[in-house]
Amino acid sequence: MEIRDARPEDWPAVWAFAAPIVASGEHFLWEADTPEARLRAFWIEKEAPASALVAVVEDGSVDGRVVGIAEIHPNQPGRGSHIANAGFMVDPAVRGKGVGRALGAAALARAKADGFTAMQFNAVVATNTRAVDLWHALGFRTLAVLPETFRHPTQGLVGMHLMFREL
Amino acid sequence: MEIRDARPEDWPAVWAFAAPIVASGEHFLWEADTPEARLRAFWIEKEAPASALVAVVEDGSVDGRVVGIAEIHPNQPGRGSHIANAGFMVDPAVRGKGVGRALGAAALARAKADGFTAMQFNAVVATNTRAVDLWHALGFRTLAVLPETFRHPTQGLVGMHLMFREL
């Protein structure tokens, strides 16, 4: 697996696995009808100090297959811009193979290299235990669970983890 | 004191006390050089479900004098949009006279009336003890202090309170 900077032409491969994830409504705040252009802008059209990375595996083609994406951006503007925030998506077809962990580690390294001093997540859905466990394993701590802040499509109101890790 | 919906023509009176508050860099994330138009848009150009309120005191004029403002907006989009966030500024010339408390109570009532189920603050600067104490008095609890997330102009890196109150 290779982790490299995302390029605009990666989007179709990302959208192929991202569209069903967003449509499920289980992991992200976006409504199912969120325009693809808005998601493309969020995930891949980044300008410094924001950035995006993709995980690529060999599949016999010249460029390989994109199986995951990470995006990094300042968590707040101005006087809070030294703290990074990040988002992650992994193709469910490759779950359990360490793609999320590799992207997480790469995003932490990139954020540190870009001068951020910590990474904060504001909205890790509590029912997404795979993500919660991964971030804890990568050194994040849950500072708070924000009660009933996420409208889950099947489980009703659930909490979101506020996670934090120094860099 | 009267609390009423903010109107676009209130902005000059708000800006008269807001400009020095923003320029101090002590209470908000905005840098000192943030354009006035951006701040006006944030504070007063609101569309439902966002709203803005002003506190007005009698000063002998027909319209009275605007001495404080509150703005209310969804804390997150989509599946998190049932939680409100809010911002407040009070003219330092009337500190200690209950303007902040009245605006806080009115903002909580407005947010509840507009269907929000809780109010969350993400960035209450820990050194702003006046604000921290007021929100605690109005029923907010600090769920976490986000460490060293605010670059204070004179005190270096300080924490920000993540505060939460059900409606």
Side-chain angles (χ1 to χ4, degrees):
Chain A
M1 180 181 4
E2 178 200 7
I3 308 280
R4 61 161 171 80
D5 280 64
R7 301 187 285 249
E9 56 267 33
D10 292 325
W11 179 250
V14 171
W15 185 239
F17 63 77
I21 293 173
V22 172
S24 80
E26 295 181 1
H27 304 314
F28 293 104
L29 291 157
W30 298 294
E31 302 282 11
D33 62 354
T34 303
E36 180 186 343
R38 193 169 139 214
L39 294 161
R40 186 178 63 230
F42 176 83
W43 283 101
I44 218 162
E45 295 168 4
K46 315 295 267 193
E47 290 183 20
S51 58
L53 304 168
V54 288
V56 181
V57 292
E58 291 185 16
D59 69 343
S61 71
V62 174
D63 293 329
R65 179 160 78 99
V66 175
V67 293
I69 187 165
E71 64 77 32
I72 305 157
H73 63 272
N75 186 56
Q76 294 278 17
R79 294 185 171 278
S81 65
H82 55 296
I83 311 297
N85 190 323
F88 301 84
M89 284 191 299
V90 172
D91 186 341
V94 298
R95 266 194 197 139
K97 296 187 177 172
V99 176
R101 177 180 286 262
L103 276 171
L108 287 165
R110 171 62 61 89
K112 182 167 185 172
D114 284 348
F116 294 105
T117 59
M119 187 173 281
Q120 178 175 328
F121 300 148
N122 302 307
V124 182
V125 182
T127 48
N128 188 1
T129 54
R130 184 187 305 270
V132 171
D133 292 348
L134 173 59
W135 303 133
H136 286 165
L138 281 173
F140 285 81
R141 45 194 203 284
T142 293
L143 295 188
V145 178
L146 313 175
E148 302 192 349
T149 48
F150 185 82
R151 294 195 302 268
H152 192 284
T154 61
Q155 302 196 45
L157 292 170
V158 302
M160 296 198 289
H161 286 243
L162 186 298
M163 292 185 155
F164 199 89
R165 182 193 191 282
E166 283 78 8
L167 296 174
Chain B
M1 182 179 6
E2 177 200 8
I3 308 278
R4 63 161 170 78
D5 279 65
R7 302 188 283 250
E9 56 267 34
D10 291 325
W11 179 251
V14 171
W15 185 239
F17 64 79
I21 294 172
V22 172
S24 80
E26 295 182 0
H27 304 313
F28 293 104
L29 291 158
W30 298 294
E31 302 282 12
D33 62 353
T34 304
E36 179 184 343
R38 195 169 138 214
L39 293 161
R40 186 179 62 231
F42 176 82
W43 284 101
I44 219 160
E45 294 167 4
K46 315 296 268 193
E47 289 182 20
S51 58
L53 304 169
V54 288
V56 181
V57 293
E58 291 185 17
D59 69 345
S61 72
V62 175
D63 293 329
R65 181 172 142 231
V66 176
V67 293
I69 187 165
E71 65 77 31
I72 304 157
H73 63 274
N75 186 57
Q76 295 277 18
R79 294 185 171 277
S81 65
H82 56 295
I83 311 297
N85 190 323
F88 301 85
M89 283 192 299
V90 173
D91 187 341
V94 298
R95 267 194 197 137
K97 297 186 177 172
V99 176
R101 176 180 287 264
L103 277 171
L108 288 164
R110 170 62 62 90
K112 182 166 185 172
D114 284 348
F116 293 105
T117 59
M119 187 173 282
Q120 178 175 327
F121 301 148
N122 302 306
V124 182
V125 182
T127 49
N128 189 1
T129 53
R130 185 187 304 270
V132 171
D133 293 347
L134 173 60
W135 302 133
H136 286 164
L138 282 172
F140 285 83
R141 46 193 203 284
T142 293
L143 295 188
V145 179
L146 314 174
E148 302 192 347
T149 49
F150 185 82
R151 293 194 303 268
H152 192 284
T154 61
Q155 302 195 46
L157 292 171
V158 302
M160 295 198 289
H161 285 243
L162 187 297
M163 292 185 156
F164 199 88
R165 184 192 190 280
E166 284 79 9
L167 296 174

